[in-house]
Amino acid sequence: MAASFIEPQKPRRPVIGLALGGGGLRGTAHIGVLEVLQSKGLPIDMAAGTSAGSIIAMLHALGWTPQDMQNLLAEIKMSDYVDHVVNIKSLTLIGIKTILDRLSLPHRWLPPTPLGFVKGKKFYRLLSRLSSKRNFYEIDFPLFITATNLCDGRLVCFCPPGFAGQLGPQRPEVIFTSDASLAQAVRASTAIPGIFQPVTWRGHLLVDGGLKNNVPADLLRWAGADLIIAVDLGFHSQNSDEIDTILEILIQSLDIMGQTNTEVRLEQTADVVIQPVTGSASLTDIEKVPAIIEAGRRAALEAWPQIDLLVQNFAKRRAKVQPYSS
């Protein structure tokens, strides 16, 4: 009997996921990383983002190029997205409530106090304009945005409806939902506790996703990515004289708290971890953005040989000829 050969499978490129971490203004390094990956012709099939990374992930999902993102940064001013809420009256009320809390005395008779120094309404309006007020039902790209439920401590993952229905029953420790606009999801993901007022969603208060998952590579693995590239901005050591505002203290504290957990998670779920060396940068250090973007480019170029090798090896494994039968 003549031997019959089974046709080899056609090579299939891997489904590539990109996880972008939080890090304040240092998140602009993600733009440099994207620029290099696109220049190499590497397609990104799905993206997940936390905090600053959620902004870049959303823009990428909507078809923005890295150059478009750089042009946006050159156009906007801090007054376009920051609306302060704190005044002498609110600071006094916060002080009184803090003292009454310490003494275990009731204070519900007092007027409500701000839950953050920045309202976030201007930022939400900016995000709505950038996203054309679209929601997760209106995009085709698999996008995952994280936030933290301040009420019960669970991670909230905003994503397209197909993934929410698929992943929700499998991962009860995470709330998967499509019930939000892109602007609302990113606004929640970037709500630094104590700085930005939380986002009210389904009766819960949502804050920065970095509290639970600062570089959400595991979400992409659950969603079916074959190759995951994670961009971890980590935290940058600073001198004591550089940490001179409440904002700097909060951001540095969050970065430190999340770093160990992030490193362990990425070891288990990411195939390549890109770590741009950005130096320190507060949210007001706009002049540092070009150098931070360049740091993202350098880190991506250094990681490219490893990424390229993984892609090639995946294709080779898929293209192996199966044994023949006679």
Side-chain angles (χ1 to χ4, degrees), residues 84-213:
H84 297 287
V85 69
V86 174
N87 51 36
I88 296 298
K89 179 182 177 181
S90 59
L91 285 174
T92 302
L93 282 171
I94 290 172
I96 293 172
K97 284 190 174 183
T98 301
I99 293 172
L100 292 176
D101 270 337
R102 290 288 184 181
L103 298 175
S104 300
L105 295 174
H107 51 66
R108 292 189 178 276
W109 52 273
L110 288 170
T113 55
L115 298 180
F117 292 123
V118 179
K119 291 180 182 177
K121 289 184 178 179
K122 276 190 174 183
F123 187 41
Y124 176 75
R125 288 197 293 268
L126 174 63
L127 292 170
S128 294
R129 177 170 63 84
L130 297 178
S131 63
S132 300
K133 297 184 179 180
R134 274 175 278 189
N135 58 42
F136 283 88
Y137 292 88
E138 298 175 301
I139 60 172
D140 297 325
F141 188 88
L143 173 66
F144 304 84
I145 301 296
T146 67
T148 301
N149 188 336
L150 200 58
C151 300
D152 64 11
R154 296 168 73 191
L155 184 73
V156 179
C157 176
F158 296 99
C159 58
F163 289 96
Q166 168 193 342
L167 298 175
Q170 301 176 21
R171 303 285 174 175
E173 72 275 16
V174 178
I175 301 172
F176 289 95
T177 180
S178 306
D179 184 21
S181 66
L182 299 182
Q184 186 180 24
V186 173
R187 168 67 179 84
S189 187
T190 54
I192 304 169
I195 300 300
F196 279 88
Q197 291 189 356
V199 169
T200 302
W201 176 79
R202 290 185 179 178
H204 297 280
L205 297 177
L206 303 186
V207 294
D208 197 312
L211 269 68
K212 292 290 290 186
N213 193 337

Side-chain angles (χ1 to χ4, degrees), residues 129-317:
R129 177 170 63 84
L130 297 178
S131 63
S132 300
K133 297 184 179 180
R134 274 175 278 189
N135 58 42
F136 283 88
Y137 292 88
E138 298 175 301
I139 60 172
D140 297 325
F141 188 88
L143 173 66
F144 304 84
I145 301 296
T146 67
T148 301
N149 188 336
L150 200 58
C151 300
D152 64 11
R154 296 168 73 191
L155 184 73
V156 179
C157 176
F158 296 99
C159 58
F163 289 96
Q166 168 193 342
L167 298 175
Q170 301 176 21
R171 303 285 174 175
E173 72 275 16
V174 178
I175 301 172
F176 289 95
T177 180
S178 306
D179 184 21
S181 66
L182 299 182
Q184 186 180 24
V186 173
R187 168 67 179 84
S189 187
T190 54
I192 304 169
I195 300 300
F196 279 88
Q197 291 189 356
V199 169
T200 302
W201 176 79
R202 290 185 179 178
H204 297 280
L205 297 177
L206 303 186
V207 294
D208 197 312
L211 269 68
K212 292 290 290 186
N213 193 337
N214 199 43
V215 189
D218 51 345
L219 300 181
L220 299 174
R221 185 68 72 194
W222 299 344
D226 298 310
L227 173 60
I228 297 173
I229 302 166
V231 185
D232 178 21
L233 301 174
F235 80 95
H236 181 75
S237 300
Q238 300 187 58
N239 297 323
S240 59
D241 58 350
E242 294 179 296
I243 306 175
D244 55 2
T245 66
I246 294 175
L247 177 60
E248 290 301 313
I249 291 173
L250 284 170
I251 291 178
Q252 189 75 349
S253 299
L254 289 173
D255 289 345
I256 292 171
M257 285 190 298
Q259 190 57 32
T260 300
N261 188 35
T262 296
E263 290 172 354
V264 171
R265 182 180 285 110
L266 292 183
E267 283 181 5
Q268 299 171 343
T269 58
D271 298 287
V272 179
V273 179
I274 299 175
Q275 295 177 303
V277 181
T278 61
S280 61
S282 70
L283 292 178
T284 58
D285 290 334
I286 305 299
E287 72 281 357
K288 294 184 179 180
V289 166
I292 295 173
I293 294 175
E294 179 58 31
R297 292 191 193 102
R298 288 196 301 270
L301 285 170
E302 290 175 6
W304 176 250
Q306 182 185 3
I307 297 170
D308 189 37
L309 182 61
L310 286 170
V311 172
Q312 291 183 35
N313 286 343
F314 182 90
K316 288 177 182 177
R317 290 197 303 270

Side-chain angles (χ1 to χ4, degrees), residues 20-21 49-59 143 145-146 185-186 189-190:
L20 304 178
T50 293
S51 200
S54 73
I55 303 172
I56 306 302
M58 179 192 76
L59 295 177
L143 173 66
I145 301 296
T146 67
V186 173
S189 187
T190 54

